[in-house]
Amino acid sequence: MAIDDSPSSSFFSPWPDRLRHSAIILLAAAMALAVLVTFGELSPVRAAAVFVCIAAAALVPWRLHDVAASREDVRGVNPVESAAVSAIVAGMPDPAVLLDRAGRVIHLNAAAAQLAPALRKNELAQFALRSPEIITALRESIATTETRRATYLDHVPVDRWMELIITPVPVPTLFGGTDKCMLMTFHDQTPLRRVEEMRADFVANASHELRTPLAALSGFIDTLQGPAKDDVKARERFLGIMHTQATRMARLIDDLLSLSRVELSAHVRPDTLVDIVPIIRQVADGLEPLAGERQVDIDIDLPETPVAIAGDREELLRLFENLVENALKYGASGGKVIVSLSQAMSGEGAPEVRVMVRDFGPGIAPEHLPRLTERFYRVDVGDSRAQGGTGLGLSLVKHIVNRHRGRLLIESVPKNGATFTACFPQVKPPAST
């Protein structure tokens, strides 16, 4: 055992391998020297000396050559570019990008690639992340090797508030030293911002819109407690008005909460496949009493086969209810409402599903069309409130369509009705097995 571990043993153990690898060189040298000796060009003694030199050069282990080769091998494996570091970055739940001191991408995970598709390995991150806040924070962090934070608004595909944290990370170098890389992590602040906006909007909108019905209720209560205390007819009439105002307040609060919930999740696209054909039929059946009361016929033109989209069933129900109910209320004079579903190609050439709701009422003037989806915007305030409208229906429709990555088309000609078309990206249902 001691002999095997000795330096001399480790020196002589590779000799058979060296001899095998150098056999061709030694054989060629021996043949060449033999020819020279045969023709008298070289004496046998000198030929033997030359052969010994060649053999020594071929067989002696020159450490300089091995050290150079080992250095070349080490140079090809950068510790930061190892599979372990790549796996750590890939396993981070938030979008993460690891950069070198020059700002080039070393590793990035799938979430970062989805957030910024222009990011490429071994390319400068500044070219892919064009937000001024990001570029400023990155340059400062590279220059100072200190942590930097930045908050910015990402508009594509929907508005999202993002917080960027750039953290210098000490990493080992090839020759035993340390260097600084930059770890960029992105945190989605959209839910927090949505909650803050929802709270502020709810307070502002509720206080504004609830003031009128609350004032009416307060006035009627004072009247019933005072002059009309013993007037049965007045009491019945006032109680009916109070019930209407209370119902209006309840619907207003319900619409505000629904709108806030949709806005809160606007950046999260639904991923559940739903068939919208039965949803539309359910909406039409549920609004038949209102159609009978307004003396309006609902014509439905829907395919017999399922039509699937990625969506939220409850939100889609609310969307179609608002569109059809608006058509029944504000287009009742036309006597008919058409609800149809078709499949076509969008302007970008992608297949989409289109649900069209058309009425034949008085229509909408062109100057009102761009503002119809604003909160509390009404073409005719008096008529809207008389119909029980809250001014939030079309705003809710717009936000639901946006969350489903669709689009809302509004067309109208005065005295010739209005057409509202909700367009959704089409998704093929999974093949049945």
Side-chain angles (χ1 to χ4, degrees):
M1 184 66 66
I3 295 176
D4 293 340
D5 294 339
S6 64
S8 59
S9 175
S10 62
F11 177 81
F12 287 107
S13 58
W15 276 94
D17 291 336
R18 295 193 185 101
L19 182 61
R20 183 173 64 254
H21 293 153
S22 305
I24 297 177
I25 297 176
L26 296 178
L27 180 59
M31 293 178 63
L33 292 173
V35 171
L36 293 176
V37 171
T38 302
F39 288 100
E41 297 292 335
L42 193 64
S43 66
V45 176
R46 292 180 177 177
V50 172
F51 182 78
V52 170
C53 293
I54 295 174
L59 297 178
V60 172
W62 298 96
R63 301 302 300 169
L64 181 62
H65 173 74
D66 292 344
V67 171
S70 64
R71 286 180 178 176
E72 289 295 331
D73 294 339
V74 172
R75 187 175 293 114
V77 182
N78 190 328
V80 183
E81 297 178 357
S82 64
V85 178
S86 176
I88 291 173
V89 175
M92 298 182 69
D94 291 323
V97 184
L98 184 64
L99 310 176
D100 61 14
R101 280 295 300 273
R104 280 185 287 267
V105 177
I106 302 175
H107 300 291
L108 72 160
N109 59 10
Q114 183 178 7
L115 178 66
L119 284 172
R120 297 288 186 275
K121 292 188 68 173
N122 301 320
E123 294 185 6
L124 291 174
Q126 292 93 323
F127 295 156
L129 305 170
R130 298 184 178 274
S131 173
E133 296 86 353
I134 298 178
I135 295 175
T136 301
L138 183 57
R139 287 176 177 173
E140 291 178 355
S141 183
I142 291 176
T144 63
T145 64
E146 295 178 355
T147 300
R148 287 290 185 272
R149 293 173 177 263
T151 303
Y152 67 97
L153 178 60
D154 187 10
H155 294 282
V156 179
V158 294
D159 287 350
R160 291 193 300 178
W161 285 268
M162 304 296 296
E163 181 187 27
L164 167 66
I165 302 177
I166 305 175
T167 307
V169 180
V171 296
T173 61
L174 295 174
F175 303 105
T178 58
D179 195 6
K180 289 289 184 67
C181 288
M182 302 295 157
L183 180 63
M184 303 174 60
T185 52
F186 298 83
H187 306 280
D188 193 349
Q189 302 293 313
T190 305
L192 297 177
R193 291 293 189 101
R194 296 290 187 194
V195 169
E196 294 175 2
E197 289 186 352
M198 178 181 68
R199 185 184 301 112
D201 289 345
F202 182 83
V203 172
N205 294 327
S207 63
H208 174 73
E209 289 294 323
L210 293 177
R211 185 177 293 113
T212 300
L214 280 175
L217 285 174
S218 178
F220 287 128
I221 291 174
D222 292 340
T223 303
L224 289 174
Q225 289 178 338
K229 183 177 181 180
D230 299 323
D231 190 338
V232 178
K233 292 184 178 179
R235 183 169 63 244
E236 292 298 326
R237 184 167 65 89
F238 291 161
L239 287 175
I241 297 174
M242 292 169 65
H243 180 269
T244 301
Q245 295 295 335
T247 303
R248 178 189 167 199
M249 284 194 298
R251 179 162 185 173
L252 176 63
I253 293 173
D254 186 42
D255 284 349
L256 279 171
L257 292 175
S258 298
L259 184 58
S260 299
R261 282 193 294 267
V262 174
E263 288 181 330
L264 184 63
S265 58
H267 64 291
V268 181
R269 182 179 181 179
D271 56 4
T272 304
L273 288 182
V274 293
D275 181 9
I276 62 174
V277 173
I279 294 178
I280 299 174
R281 293 189 185 277
Q282 178 181 342
V283 169
D285 293 341
L287 291 175
E288 277 295 339
L290 178 62
E293 177 185 333
R294 301 299 174 96
Q295 298 181 349
V296 179
D297 294 329
I298 302 178
D299 292 343
I300 301 177
D301 183 12
L302 302 176
E304 297 297 331
T305 56
V307 178
I309 66 171
D312 183 298
R313 177 180 175 81
E314 295 303 319
E315 290 185 2
L316 292 173
L317 273 170
R318 195 65 182 269
L319 183 154
F320 297 132
E321 281 178 357
N322 275 289
L323 290 181
V324 178
E325 186 175 354
N326 282 351
L328 293 174
K329 288 180 177 179
Y330 304 109
S333 60
K336 182 171 66 173
V337 170
I338 298 176
V339 182
S340 63
L341 187 152
S342 62
Q343 302 178 51
M345 304 298 288
S346 66
E348 292 76 20
E352 65 179 9
V353 176
R354 297 180 179 179
V355 179
M356 183 188 72
V357 178
R358 181 183 179 187
D359 66 70
F360 296 86
I364 305 169
E367 62 269 19
H368 296 294
L369 295 180
R371 302 189 60 188
L372 282 180
T373 57
E374 293 181 10
R375 290 186 181 191
F376 300 109
Y377 184 82
R378 299 176 174 94
V379 176
D380 186 332
V381 177
D383 182 53
S384 175
R385 288 179 175 171
Q387 299 287 356
T390 62
L392 294 172
L394 289 180
S395 180
L396 182 60
V397 167
K398 181 193 71 173
H399 281 83
I400 294 176
V401 170
N402 289 343
R403 188 192 173 212
H404 287 71
R405 304 300 185 264
R407 54 201 182 103
L408 178 66
L409 307 179
I410 304 176
E411 301 173 285
S412 181
V413 177
K415 300 181 180 180
N416 196 27
T419 301
F420 293 80
T421 305
C423 306
F424 305 94
Q426 186 172 5
V427 178
K428 293 184 179 179
S432 58
T433 57

